[in-house]
Amino acid sequence: LSETTEQASGHARVLIEPCDLADRDAVERAGARCLAHGVPDVLVNNAGVIERASIEETSPERWDRQLAINLRAPFQLTRALLPAMRARKSGRIVNVGSISATVGSPRAAAYAAAKWALVGFTKSLAAELADILGLTILCADRMGVDLQGAIRDKWLHFLDEPAKLRPGGRTVVSNRNTVSKRKPQRGARR
């Protein structure tokens, strides 16, 4: 966290709020602490955990922990910060996904389920908020992808250029391609 804080320090005020994302109450408190610092320009839901196990080896507790960290925590933080962003009519939410959101892999059912659901959550939220906020999902398609670098290079510039935080359609981004989901222009092919 200290390295990420240092890298982001050249931008506007950056708050990194550590907490146990498996603990529902801790996540709620973290959201409240963030709002105590003002309305955020960008929320980056970047935490993730994978606990590899076969279905038979995956206990309900292991399943719940992975869904709590990989899916429920981004939902909770978004839900906590969204009213302030909506009131201001600007902001950006970046949810970090995984290639596991597009393909299955052995011994990773809980992780894959959470990341598939995170993509669905992001797309639904983008449809709901298309005229208010920008929503992004970053999906790594190979191990070793520098997601922190991608977040820093692609999204922290919004802190330097507040005008870019204004709504402008919905975007889903991966490190392979970018697909814009803007309203089609009249006569445009889908």
Side-chain angles (χ1 to χ4, degrees):
L1 290 177
S2 61
E3 181 182 333
T4 302
T5 304
E6 185 179 320
Q7 290 172 345
S9 66
H11 300 278
R13 188 176 58 168
V14 174
L15 174 68
I16 295 175
E17 185 63 46
C19 79
D20 178 359
L21 296 176
D23 180 337
R24 186 183 313 230
D25 294 332
V27 174
E28 293 293 328
R29 288 189 303 271
R33 283 192 305 271
C34 288
L35 285 174
H37 292 275
V39 180
D41 294 316
V42 181
L43 166 63
V44 179
N45 289 308
N46 186 37
V49 64
I50 183 169
E51 298 176 16
R52 292 196 175 273
S54 69
I55 293 297
E56 294 89 355
E57 298 167 336
T58 302
S59 67
E61 293 78 20
R62 182 180 273 182
W63 179 272
D64 288 347
R65 174 178 158 71
Q66 290 182 76
L67 267 69
I69 293 170
N70 295 318
L71 179 62
R72 189 184 69 219
F75 158 74
Q76 283 185 270
L77 290 170
T78 298
R79 186 171 177 270
L81 303 180
L82 184 59
M85 293 172 133
R86 185 190 292 266
R88 190 183 56 203
K89 296 187 185 326
S90 70
R92 172 87 43 193
I93 299 172
V94 179
N95 291 325
V96 178
S98 166
I99 189 63
S100 293
T102 61
V103 297
S105 61
R107 303 176 55 80
Y111 180 76
K115 292 303 184 174
W116 278 78
L118 185 64
V119 170
F121 169 69
T122 304
K123 288 181 176 185
S124 294
L125 194 58
E128 184 177 327
L129 302 170
D131 296 332
I132 302 168
L133 299 179
L135 276 288
T136 303
I137 185 141
L138 295 175
C139 291
D141 66 356
R142 297 285 180 265
M143 291 301 289
V145 170
D146 180 13
L147 283 176
Q148 284 75 23
I151 290 167
R152 180 184 62 248
D153 297 343
K154 292 191 176 282
W155 302 110
L156 285 181
H157 70 276
F158 285 108
L159 297 174
D160 295 329
E161 303 172 50
K164 289 187 176 183
L165 292 169
R166 309 252 187 296
R170 302 162 298 197
T171 305
V172 177
V173 177
S174 79
N175 61 349
R176 280 196 178 207
N177 59 15
T178 301
V179 180
S180 179
K181 301 274 189 178
R182 299 183 193 281
K183 294 178 184 173
Q185 294 179 355
R186 195 169 201 180
R189 297 168 79 184
R190 282 191 156 229

